[in-house]
Amino acid sequence: MPSYKAPVDDFKFILNDFLKVLDHSDLPGFDALDSELIDQILEGGAKFFEEVWAPLNLPGDEQGCTLENGIVHTPDGFKDAFHQAAEGGWNALSVPEAFGGAGLPGILSSCISEMGNSANQSLAMYGGLTGAAMMSLMYLGTDFQKKVIVPKLVSGEWTGTMNLTEPHCGTDLKLMNTKAVPQEDGTYRISGTKIFISGGDHDMTDNIIHMVIAKIPNSEGKLENNLGTVNFFMVPKFLVNEDGTPGARNGVTVGSIEKKMGIKGNATCVLNYDNAVAFKVPEDKPEAANEQSGEKKSSASGMAGMFLMMNGARMGVGMQGYALAEVACQNATIYANDRLQGRSLSGPKNPDGPADPIIVYPDVRRMLMMARSFAEGARALHMWLSFTGATAVKLETQEEKTAVGEITNLLTPVIKGYLTDMGFTSTNAAMQCFGGHGFIREHGMEQFVRDSRINQIYEGANGVQALDLVGRKLFANGMVGTNAYYGLIDKEIADAKDQNGLKGMSESLATGLSHLRAATSWVAENALQDREQAGAASYDFMTMFGTVSLGFMWLKMMAVAQSQLDAGAGNAEFLKRKIAHGNFWAQKMLPDTASLLEKIKTGGDVLMELEASSF
Amino acid sequence: MPSYKAPVDDFKFILNDFLKVLDHSDLPGFDALDSELIDQILEGGAKFFEEVWAPLNLPGDEQGCTLENGIVHTPDGFKDAFHQAAEGGWNALSVPEAFGGAGLPGILSSCISEMGNSANQSLAMYGGLTGAAMMSLMYLGTDFQKKVIVPKLVSGEWTGTMNLTEPHCGTDLKLMNTKAVPQEDGTYRISGTKIFISGGDHDMTDNIIHMVIAKIPNSEGKLENNLGTVNFFMVPKFLVNEDGTPGARNGVTVGSIEKKMGIKGNATCVLNYDNAVAFKVPEDKPEAANEQSGEKKSSASGMAGMFLMMNGARMGVGMQGYALAEVACQNATIYANDRLQGRSLSGPKNPDGPADPIIVYPDVRRMLMMARSFAEGARALHMWLSFTGATAVKLETQEEKTAVGEITNLLTPVIKGYLTDMGFTSTNAAMQCFGGHGFIREHGMEQFVRDSRINQIYEGANGVQALDLVGRKLFANGMVGTNAYYGLIDKEIADAKDQNGLKGMSESLATGLSHLRAATSWVAENALQDREQAGAASYDFMTMFGTVSLGFMWLKMMAVAQSQLDAGAGNAEFLKRKIAHGNFWAQKMLPDTASLLEKIKTGGDVLMELEASSF
């Protein structure tokens, strides 16, 4: 059975030393923070997720979910653990007080969410998607939805889901067949089949709020192959009475639950909608309701709710990538210190024992340091971006504020794509440290790998993220975001120039950034005439962008750590460990940018020349 | 349900055009070959494995193996399919006729083995390990073993296993606790626990021949922490009567079967040995039998049988790496041609349909071409090495013959390590092409990934292979093998210089080889003073070595294909497809050597500086 220990020291380092969140008490939410509260929250969360959620992870995988007589049963203990989290308020730390939350900064929720995902990704997903549904209703819902439904999601009395995929379409939403027919009373009736719905049904709560996209038919009642007709709806499992109690059963039922590679504790459902009562989000404006149904389709905000939910979900999936790398790396580290096998290449390190622990081997250390430097670098990136967004209101010029928004857009596909790729790679390396024991269920390592694998797929497969990065984000709005982001890295390198101990990393990062700029120019020059070239470069580009971004974070963290060491402040062992992992990233990860650039420059012709039938 | 189509055209290309096996009729085994026989064998094997073995793969994974009242049950259909293969002689093509085989060259068995592994790795493993056990007895067994036992393994009446690992030790065999106590009659009695025994027990055959390593105690009856006391034994599940029928039950029982990530159709057993009757292989010489038991321990050939078996198994595992990449890539190619989603970046390719098939996307093609160029390059390398070994007898000088042996030693860890790493990466990329559908059991893609994962672990985890390559093989015997191998690549590049269409590949390969030589020099210079440096470089070195080796194979294949195209011979579509995949390797894989070299040159200090307790 694997163990989990929340990385409280690292969260404190990031919050207090790296981001210095306590310096921002002029911002709402941050004003309530002090060092003690941060400690209390982190330590309380750690205790809860370590002791209550983590022990259910392996048995939840073994038992899985079952469907009997139309009812989905979650693994033993999940329901109780879910409600304990809700009662502890762990899912509502950063929800505004008006909706029943604690109103603390989102950056604190990031720490708690990560703990949940490390401890038990399958269980965390029920709440994670609830959060996404909640957010879309909080921003775009009616008064009733905000006052009555959102608080039920905040309190954990109900959960939420996200319904996009259909059997024949995922990425290409304009192909969808789910139909939303407008009714006289302003509601809609939805019919169709949605698949791969995480937490799509379960036995944990009284009601489930499905957020669904569907097409509004044209005036002849037909569906068009047109993204403009796709809209966003709320479909409760049980209709909600005015007093907030669940009412009549709505027309949404579970067709089946999927047998899948991992996240088996989460019920992935096929949901059949049959004339289910649906509420458009945002609701039609009164004047629009008087128009012909076919004309509602061009509502520009038709998918706004979906994008809100989707971007939040993408950030959340990126976090799942490093959350699993963290817990897998922890277990591999324990095993590597424990497992005796052979002798160190430089002479016995455990001369009184029959053999040395395998952590004496450079290649075992390589795997552990890759996983750890990734997990800590990724955590820093995720939290830095969230914090940068939260503090942008204090920036002086509108230009600066815009740049932060654009950087967020730019980094979202990288966080989803690169962090889940490296999350899988790291989790897999941690499993490799166990040798044959990694392949056996009881150690839990192979489960981390199977669970981690979904993160590269859902909420837009990573190839789609790469294309989003290169095709949409990189050159958006005159490259405001891209240039601003590269400029931040330049500045960090320049600032590090004279600081003790940062030379290796800053040089390595400068080289990486020069490769990234060269790749950016190459794509700019070649993709204009031939869009296939952008597609061909996209994946290598995303990998390079992610590698440089984590280098950027490591340089920032090393600068903080080195300053503290120079000043004799902080925990020297912790700080030296930070610096060692930063140097690992500099020496063993950043050099990848050279080859990635070379590959990008060979272009896409080799990919496109064969006929599809020749593959 | 996934499908499988044996790559018969590629086998024919390799046998007939690339290796030109028909030009070697002066060699035993090869003399029986003609073009028709090759076709018959390949097509017969293809039909059998496609139709009989492949359909059992997914249900076998779902059902798994069970242990009831001490009896291991294999999945439905496995027993019958195993015996059909034996009756068809598919497992005995290259076994000498004296032992009941067909006496054909091993290179033909390679094709058939690959088909078995692609179709159903779990089922193939029962026969694969039988082959390894068979080989050790064929070379080192007594007359009785050769005449009575080997033919039972050849005919498939019985199976064989390989017993190395114990709960607390795998790689470090000198820690083992399994004891083999010599008896008056020249036999031994083995007691101890072996784990992770593939096909360790099952209901398919009447008897199982376990090949076991165990320690002979010293004259005080104690086990020493000394590899020299480890010896190799045959332990039949049922003792074998003189007429070859199974006799009394021996003292070996199944403790449990492992729950594991993949290869669930293969029974991975914990075997408990309790005074089991064992026969040393090779048997003690009469004079040795008169000595004190403690003095037998220094027998130099004590582990010869194990190494024979192990090296064969490592080559076999490397094959499993590309066998799964092949079948996974086939299924991904079908899906990518079938799944409609979005539109090509350069305008609709399926304008009459609602969307284009996803094979129009450069990044989907990147994944497919990586998997395919890997699978075909790996197949070529495996078969080229086997063929080079088989034809070495015809070389003129002893020096040349020695070089071939050394090249085989050098490439064995690369074939085990790199081919299984890339096999996993390729299988995983093929799964990614399916998006969410790849994560669902019914498509079978996630099973290929789970099955493939074991290949990086068993028969020596890949980190151990990397250390074997760099620490033992690379500089062995004055680098005869290494220099000879690099020289072969030089010659291929020189030969390609003036050939039409090979410029890109030969330049790319020349650069890759120069990086490999630079890495070799770096290790030579740095590892002498500090062996940790060799360990730190080892994994990147193995990856670089494998990447260059597949480039070498691709250049050879491209040269053949281009000559045929220039002459208007052969199937032009097939040949152009070869050249395109070779160019993919040149442009998208070989550039990795630049970064790998750079990483190697940063050395191992960053890995070794932290205390183990600081990880």
Side-chain angles (χ1 to χ4, degrees):
Chain A
M1 177 85 113
S3 62
Y4 172 59
K5 196 106 191 83
V8 171
D9 287 348
D10 202 42
F11 287 130
K12 289 184 189 173
F13 174 79
I14 293 179
L15 293 171
N16 298 328
D17 305 320
F18 177 61
L19 302 176
K20 300 192 194 310
V21 297
L22 295 177
D23 293 356
H24 294 270
S25 56
D26 50 342
L27 284 178
F30 289 81
D31 53 352
L33 288 185
D34 61 30
S35 175
E36 264 177 50
L37 181 64
I38 290 177
D39 289 3
Q40 271 175 18
I41 289 173
L42 293 176
E43 282 154 22
K47 187 173 158 61
F48 175 75
F49 291 104
E50 290 166 6
E51 294 177 6
V52 181
W53 277 34
L56 297 173
N57 192 40
L58 193 141
D61 178 73
E62 178 106 34
Q63 187 182 356
C65 295
T66 49
L67 175 65
E68 280 167 41
N69 304 322
I71 295 171
V72 174
H73 300 277
T74 52
D76 295 344
F78 270 40
K79 180 175 179 172
D80 185 47
F82 178 82
H83 287 292
Q84 281 191 55
E87 281 154 26
W90 296 117
N91 56 332
L93 277 183
S94 60
V95 173
E97 287 165 295
F99 294 104
L104 291 168
I107 193 90
L108 269 179
S109 296
S110 291
C111 307
I112 298 299
S113 287
E114 184 193 319
M115 294 181 196
N117 280 303
S118 289
N120 195 324
Q121 178 169 327
S122 291
L123 180 50
M125 286 170 64
Y126 293 100
L129 289 158
T130 301
M134 187 198 299
M135 192 165 63
S136 64
L137 291 175
M138 228 185 267
Y139 284 99
L140 301 173
T142 61
D143 278 354
F144 179 76
Q145 287 163 347
K146 286 180 188 170
K147 285 189 186 144
V148 177
I149 293 178
V150 170
K152 298 278 189 189
L153 298 172
V154 173
S155 68
E157 281 170 88
W158 300 350
T159 65
T161 73
M162 185 165 160
N163 293 232
L164 276 66
T165 305
E166 300 183 11
H168 66 295
C169 80
T171 304
D172 189 358
L173 297 175
K174 74 175 178 302
L175 300 180
M176 74 171 44
N177 291 331
T178 298
K179 189 164 65 173
V181 180
Q183 308 295 308
E184 292 290 325
D185 64 357
T187 65
Y188 289 75
R189 291 293 178 279
I190 285 189
S191 298
T193 299
K194 293 289 181 179
I195 66 169
F196 300 159
I197 308 308
S198 298
D201 203 16
H202 55 74
D203 54 2
M204 304 198 305
T205 59
D206 293 341
N207 204 1
I208 301 174
I209 302 299
H210 302 294
M211 304 305 303
V212 183
I213 54 172
K215 276 184 184 170
I216 298 176
N218 63 17
S219 49
E220 288 160 22
K222 296 223 168 105
L223 297 184
E224 293 176 8
N225 190 354
N226 173 357
L227 207 55
T229 66
V230 175
N231 279 270
F232 186 58
F233 301 89
M234 180 192 86
V235 185
K237 177 178 172 183
F238 290 93
L239 294 172
V240 182
N241 296 324
E242 287 208 4
D243 65 354
T245 55
R249 185 75 164 83
N250 203 355
V252 47
T253 52
V254 184
S256 62
I257 55 177
E258 303 284 5
K259 290 191 184 172
K260 53 199 196 294
M261 184 182 198
I263 52 165
K264 295 187 184 191
N266 195 282
T268 305
C269 298
V270 174
L271 291 183
N272 295 321
Y273 289 86
D274 182 12
N275 261 312
V277 178
F279 304 86
K280 193 161 163 293
V281 179
E283 71 174 340
D284 295 316
K285 298 215 182 89
E287 59 270 39
N290 296 328
E291 294 170 17
Q292 293 295 318
S293 63
E295 289 166 37
K296 290 177 186 169
K297 71 184 182 190
S298 55
S299 151
S301 60
M303 299 221 295
M306 192 204 80
F307 281 115
L308 249 181
M309 201 163 69
M310 182 60 113
N311 283 327
R314 285 179 174 171
M315 292 292 288
V317 174
M319 174 187 283
Q320 292 177 327
Y322 64 82
L324 285 181
E326 170 66 44
V327 65
C329 179
Q330 287 182 11
N331 282 277
T333 304
I334 294 167
Y335 188 81
N337 270 296
D338 203 49
R339 174 81 172 176
L340 303 181
Q341 209 80 181
R343 288 294 183 190
S344 161
L345 299 167
S346 57
K349 298 290 175 286
N350 174 34
D352 299 335
D356 288 341
I358 60 172
I359 200 163
V360 302
Y361 293 108
D363 195 60
V364 170
R365 287 172 169 242
R366 176 189 63 81
M367 293 190 277
L368 295 174
M369 291 187 82
M370 180 188 66
R372 173 130 317 284
S373 61
F374 161 67
E376 294 187 6
R379 176 182 300 129
L381 182 67
H382 200 285
M383 290 178 71
W384 171 82
L385 186 63
S386 153
F387 181 72
T388 302
T391 53
V393 288
K394 289 165 63 175
L395 292 170
E396 287 177 15
T397 67
Q398 185 54 43
E399 216 179 324
E400 289 173 300
K401 289 178 192 172
T402 303
V404 169
E406 294 287 325
I407 288 174
T408 304
N409 291 340
L410 182 68
L411 282 174
T412 298
V414 178
I415 283 185
K416 159 60 170 87
Y418 179 72
L419 299 197
T420 60
D421 278 353
M422 275 300 297
F424 181 73
T425 300
S426 300
T427 305
N428 207 33
M431 172 181 158
Q432 187 73 14
C433 293
F434 279 68
H437 295 274
F439 201 67
I440 301 301
R441 171 159 230 152
E442 65 184 281
H443 297 281
M445 300 304 289
E446 59 90 35
Q447 183 193 346
F448 293 137
V449 173
R450 287 187 287 102
D451 286 355
S452 176
R453 186 66 182 85
I454 192 60
N455 300 327
Q456 299 172 287
I457 299 174
Y458 62 13
E459 311 310 344
N462 286 356
V464 175
Q465 305 299 326
L467 200 56
D468 179 47
L469 173 64
V470 171
R472 277 197 286 258
K473 306 295 174 60
L474 189 63
F475 301 109
N477 300 329
M479 295 184 71
V480 170
T482 305
N483 290 330
Y485 185 63
Y486 293 175
L488 289 176
I489 306 176
D490 282 332
K491 183 171 179 307
E492 196 67 37
I493 293 168
D495 288 353
K497 208 153 205 170
D498 304 318
Q499 202 183 337
N500 174 27
L502 304 187
K503 190 161 177 285
M505 170 48 107
S506 48
E507 286 177 3
S508 185
L509 181 59
T511 305
L513 181 60
S514 75
H515 291 152
L516 184 59
R517 281 201 164 105
T520 307
S521 301
W522 189 93
V523 175
E525 283 159 28
N526 290 276
L528 266 179
Q529 308 102 284
D530 179 0
R531 291 185 62 206
E532 309 282 22
Q533 298 294 342
S538 61
Y539 216 92
D540 288 333
F541 189 88
M542 179 173 77
T543 304
M544 192 193 271
F545 199 103
T547 307
V548 170
S549 294
L550 261 61
F552 173 36
M553 289 300 119
W554 272 113
L555 179 55
K556 284 174 96 71
M557 289 195 286
M558 288 168 81
V560 173
Q562 190 63 51
S563 300
Q564 293 194 349
L565 278 170
D566 291 347
N571 174 341
E573 189 186 358
F574 175 88
L575 297 169
K576 284 183 185 160
R577 187 166 167 267
K578 272 277 169 214
I579 287 172
H581 283 89
N583 281 325
F584 178 90
W585 200 265
Q587 294 178 33
K588 302 295 183 189
M589 300 301 292
L590 273 167
D592 283 332
T593 59
S595 291
L596 290 164
L597 175 61
E598 212 178 315
K599 293 196 236 185
I600 286 172
K601 285 181 167 176
T602 63
D605 295 352
V606 75
L607 302 174
M608 304 314 296
E609 65 178 316
L610 283 179
E611 293 296 320
S613 58
S614 268
F615 267 73
Chain B
M1 177 86 115
S3 63
Y4 172 58
K5 194 106 193 89
V8 171
D9 287 348
D10 202 42
F11 287 131
K12 288 186 190 171
F13 174 79
I14 294 179
L15 293 171
N16 298 329
D17 305 321
F18 176 61
L19 302 175
K20 299 193 195 309
V21 298
L22 295 177
D23 292 358
H24 295 270
S25 56
D26 50 342
L27 284 178
F30 288 82
D31 52 352
L33 287 186
D34 60 30
S35 175
E36 265 177 49
L37 181 63
I38 291 177
D39 289 3
Q40 269 174 21
I41 289 172
L42 293 177
E43 281 154 22
K47 187 172 157 59
F48 174 75
F49 291 104
E50 290 166 7
E51 294 177 6
V52 180
W53 278 33
L56 296 172
N57 192 41
L58 193 141
D61 177 74
E62 178 106 33
Q63 187 181 356
C65 294
T66 50
L67 175 65
E68 280 167 43
N69 305 321
I71 294 171
V72 173
H73 300 277
T74 52
D76 296 342
F78 270 40
K79 179 175 179 174
D80 184 48
F82 178 82
H83 287 292
Q84 280 191 54
E87 281 154 27
W90 295 117
N91 56 332
L93 278 183
S94 60
V95 173
E97 287 165 294
F99 295 104
L104 292 168
I107 193 89
L108 269 178
S109 296
S110 293
C111 306
I112 299 299
S113 288
E114 184 194 319
M115 293 181 196
N117 280 303
S118 289
N120 194 325
Q121 179 168 326
S122 291
L123 180 51
M125 286 169 64
Y126 293 99
L129 289 158
T130 301
M134 187 198 300
M135 192 164 65
S136 64
L137 291 175
M138 228 184 268
Y139 284 99
L140 301 173
T142 61
D143 278 352
F144 179 77
Q145 287 163 347
K146 287 181 190 171
K147 284 189 187 143
V148 176
I149 293 178
V150 170
K152 298 278 189 190
L153 298 172
V154 173
S155 67
E157 281 170 89
W158 299 351
T159 64
T161 72
M162 185 166 161
N163 292 234
L164 277 67
T165 305
E166 300 183 10
H168 65 295
C169 79
T171 304
D172 190 357
L173 296 175
K174 74 175 179 304
L175 300 180
M176 74 171 45
N177 291 331
T178 298
K179 188 165 66 173
V181 181
Q183 308 295 309
E184 293 289 324
D185 63 358
T187 65
Y188 289 75
R189 292 291 178 279
I190 285 188
S191 298
T193 299
K194 293 288 182 180
I195 66 169
F196 301 159
I197 309 308
S198 299
D201 202 16
H202 55 74
D203 53 2
M204 303 197 306
T205 60
D206 292 342
N207 204 1
I208 301 174
I209 302 299
H210 302 294
M211 304 307 302
V212 183
I213 56 173
K215 275 183 183 170
I216 298 176
N218 63 18
S219 50
E220 288 160 22
K222 295 226 168 101
L223 298 184
E224 292 177 9
N225 189 353
N226 172 357
L227 207 53
T229 66
V230 176
N231 279 269
F232 186 58
F233 301 89
M234 181 191 84
V235 186
K237 176 177 173 183
F238 290 94
L239 293 171
V240 182
N241 296 323
E242 288 207 4
D243 64 356
T245 55
R249 186 73 164 84
N250 203 355
V252 47
T253 52
V254 184
S256 62
I257 55 177
E258 303 285 5
K259 289 188 185 175
K260 53 197 195 297
M261 185 182 197
I263 50 164
K264 296 187 183 191
N266 195 281
T268 305
C269 298
V270 174
L271 291 184
N272 295 321
Y273 290 86
D274 182 13
N275 263 311
V277 178
F279 304 87
K280 192 161 163 294
V281 178
E283 71 175 339
D284 294 317
K285 298 217 183 86
E287 59 272 36
N290 296 329
E291 293 170 16
Q292 291 294 317
S293 64
E295 290 165 36
K296 289 176 186 170
K297 71 184 181 189
S298 57
S299 152
S301 61
M303 300 221 293
M306 192 205 80
F307 281 115
L308 250 182
M309 202 164 66
M310 182 61 113
N311 282 328
R314 285 180 174 171
M315 292 292 287
V317 174
M319 175 187 282
Q320 292 177 329
Y322 63 83
L324 285 181
E326 170 66 44
V327 65
C329 179
Q330 287 181 13
N331 283 276
T333 304
I334 294 167
Y335 188 81
N337 270 297
D338 204 47
R339 173 82 171 175
L340 304 182
Q341 209 79 179
R343 289 294 183 189
S344 161
L345 298 167
S346 56
K349 297 292 177 285
N350 175 34
D352 299 334
D356 287 342
I358 60 172
I359 200 162
V360 301
Y361 292 108
D363 195 60
V364 170
R365 288 171 168 240
R366 176 188 63 81
M367 294 189 277
L368 294 175
M369 290 187 84
M370 179 188 67
R372 172 130 317 284
S373 61
F374 161 67
E376 294 186 6
R379 175 182 300 129
L381 182 67
H382 200 285
M383 292 176 70
W384 171 82
L385 187 62
S386 153
F387 181 72
T388 302
T391 53
V393 287
K394 289 164 63 176
L395 292 170
E396 287 178 13
T397 67
Q398 185 55 42
E399 217 178 327
E400 289 172 299
K401 288 179 193 171
T402 304
V404 169
E406 294 288 323
I407 289 174
T408 304
N409 290 341
L410 181 68
L411 282 175
T412 298
V414 179
I415 283 184
K416 160 59 171 84
Y418 179 72
L419 299 198
T420 60
D421 278 354
M422 275 300 298
F424 181 73
T425 301
S426 300
T427 306
N428 208 34
M431 174 181 156
Q432 188 72 15
C433 294
F434 279 69
H437 295 275
F439 201 67
I440 301 301
R441 172 159 231 153
E442 64 183 280
H443 298 282
M445 299 305 289
E446 59 90 35
Q447 183 192 347
F448 293 137
V449 173
R450 288 186 288 104
D451 287 355
S452 176
R453 187 66 183 84
I454 191 60
N455 300 327
Q456 298 172 288
I457 299 173
Y458 62 12
E459 310 311 344
N462 286 356
V464 175
Q465 304 300 325
L467 200 56
D468 180 48
L469 172 66
V470 171
R472 280 197 284 258
K473 306 295 175 61
L474 189 63
F475 301 108
N477 300 328
M479 295 184 71
V480 170
T482 305
N483 291 331
Y485 185 63
Y486 293 175
L488 289 176
I489 305 176
D490 282 331
K491 183 172 179 307
E492 198 66 37
I493 293 168
D495 289 352
K497 210 155 203 166
D498 304 317
Q499 202 183 336
N500 174 26
L502 304 186
K503 191 162 178 282
M505 170 48 108
S506 47
E507 286 177 4
S508 185
L509 181 60
T511 305
L513 181 61
S514 74
H515 291 153
L516 184 60
R517 281 200 164 104
T520 307
S521 302
W522 189 93
V523 175
E525 283 158 27
N526 290 277
L528 264 180
Q529 309 102 284
D530 180 0
R531 291 184 62 205
E532 309 283 20
Q533 297 295 342
S538 62
Y539 216 92
D540 289 333
F541 189 88
M542 179 173 77
T543 304
M544 191 191 273
F545 199 105
T547 307
V548 170
S549 294
L550 262 59
F552 174 36
M553 289 300 120
W554 271 113
L555 178 57
K556 285 174 97 70
M557 289 195 284
M558 287 168 82
V560 173
Q562 189 64 51
S563 300
Q564 292 195 348
L565 277 171
D566 291 347
N571 174 341
E573 189 186 357
F574 175 89
L575 298 168
K576 284 183 185 163
R577 187 165 166 268
K578 271 277 169 215
I579 288 173
H581 283 90
N583 281 325
F584 179 90
W585 199 265
Q587 294 178 32
K588 303 295 182 188
M589 300 301 293
L590 273 167
D592 282 333
T593 59
S595 291
L596 290 164
L597 175 60
E598 212 179 313
K599 293 196 236 186
I600 286 172
K601 285 182 167 176
T602 63
D605 295 351
V606 76
L607 302 175
M608 304 314 296
E609 65 177 314
L610 284 179
E611 293 295 321
S613 58
S614 269
F615 268 73

